Amino acid sequence: MRKKVGILGGTFDPPHLGHLIIANEVLHQLNLDEIRFMPNQEPPHKERSSGTTGKNRVRMLELAIQGNPAFKLEKIELERSGRSFTVDTMKVLVEQNPHHEYYFIIGADMVEYLPNWHRIDELVEMVQFVGVNRPNHRMESNYRIIEVDVPLIEISSTMIRDRSKAGESVKYLLPDNVIGYIEENRLYGS
């Protein structure tokens, strides 16, 4: 029996309730065995500018997913330097775990962008893409996508960083233990 593993990649700077809701919905709707949260080193499509370290982001993820045995942390991209291309990461994971079936979770905004992904034709042979709905984006692609409806909750890490910097409340946008970590470590100007 192949293990069904969802992969949710991102900067997770910080990880918020939107990330956790997406992971939980995909886990249960597709009957997966686990979801791995995979923080990236340097995403190929955007620059990170928050000043947090990989260690900060890992700790925030650990705090965010604690208590859910189906949620795991995958640090493979943080252990490599430079830009992270999904195809290279997934090639390593497939080689390490040939009996796993991978479901790569992306938002509808990324579904639209799939034709531009590095070596996409190679990547679709290794993973099953799972698209989750996002406001103002359509789930249309020439690639095979499993669509999962998730509650539309418009929370972004950018919004949380901006609110923290302005001294505004981020209560109910993040798990309380993540908020505590952000405040304790004075991340995002909090």
Side-chain angles (χ1 to χ4, degrees):
M1 188 75 175
R2 292 169 67 84
K3 188 173 192 175
K4 295 165 69 174
V5 177
I7 301 282
L8 182 59
T11 54
F12 301 110
D13 194 12
H16 53 70
L17 294 181
H19 296 127
L20 299 174
I21 290 167
I22 287 168
N24 195 57
E25 291 295 313
V26 171
L27 176 78
H28 292 290
Q29 289 185 41
L30 300 184
N31 198 28
L32 302 184
D33 296 301
E34 67 185 43
I35 300 284
R36 293 187 190 173
F37 291 76
M38 185 171 69
N40 47 31
Q41 181 73 271
E42 249 181 88
H45 60 281
K46 65 179 174 183
E47 295 296 319
R48 280 195 342 99
S49 60
S50 74
T52 55
T53 64
K55 185 178 175 185
N56 292 140
R57 293 183 297 130
V58 164
R59 185 62 188 137
M60 287 188 286
L61 266 172
E62 288 170 343
L63 291 167
I65 66 176
Q66 77 182 25
N68 187 332
F71 287 177
K72 312 278 187 209
L73 183 59
E74 176 56 70
K75 296 190 281 190
I76 187 172
E77 289 198 345
L78 287 178
E79 291 164 353
R80 295 194 326 243
S81 59
R83 294 225 180 261
S84 300
F85 288 106
T86 304
V87 66
D88 298 326
T89 301
M90 292 313 304
K91 187 173 184 185
V92 171
L93 287 177
V94 167
E95 287 170 1
Q96 288 175 351
N97 306 290
H99 300 297
H100 289 185
E101 202 172 304
Y102 287 103
Y103 294 78
F104 202 87
I105 305 161
I106 57 175
D109 55 331
M110 283 289 114
V111 169
E112 294 172 358
Y113 191 74
L114 273 179
N116 302 312
W117 281 37
H118 184 65
R119 295 176 17 223
I120 185 63
D121 293 326
E122 195 177 329
L123 181 58
V124 296
E125 296 298 319
M126 290 184 261
V127 302
Q128 169 59 62
F129 278 102
V130 177
V132 297
N133 47 311
R134 296 274 305 261
N136 306 314
H137 292 281
R138 296 166 63 159
M139 199 84 69
E140 292 179 4
S141 178
N142 291 329
Y143 298 99
R144 194 168 85 82
I145 307 287
I146 296 174
E147 292 183 38
V148 173
D149 272 336
V150 299
L152 292 179
I153 298 175
E154 293 190 55
I155 302 172
S156 75
S157 296
T158 302
M159 176 185 72
I160 291 167
R161 290 191 305 268
D162 291 346
R163 282 186 174 196
S164 292
K165 193 173 197 172
E168 297 172 4
S169 173
V170 293
K171 183 99 173 130
Y172 306 116
L173 302 175
L174 303 159
D176 287 342
N177 56 0
V178 175
I179 293 172
Y181 180 85
I182 289 170
E183 291 171 350
E184 184 180 307
N185 291 278
R186 294 182 161 81
L187 302 179
Y188 316 122
S190 62

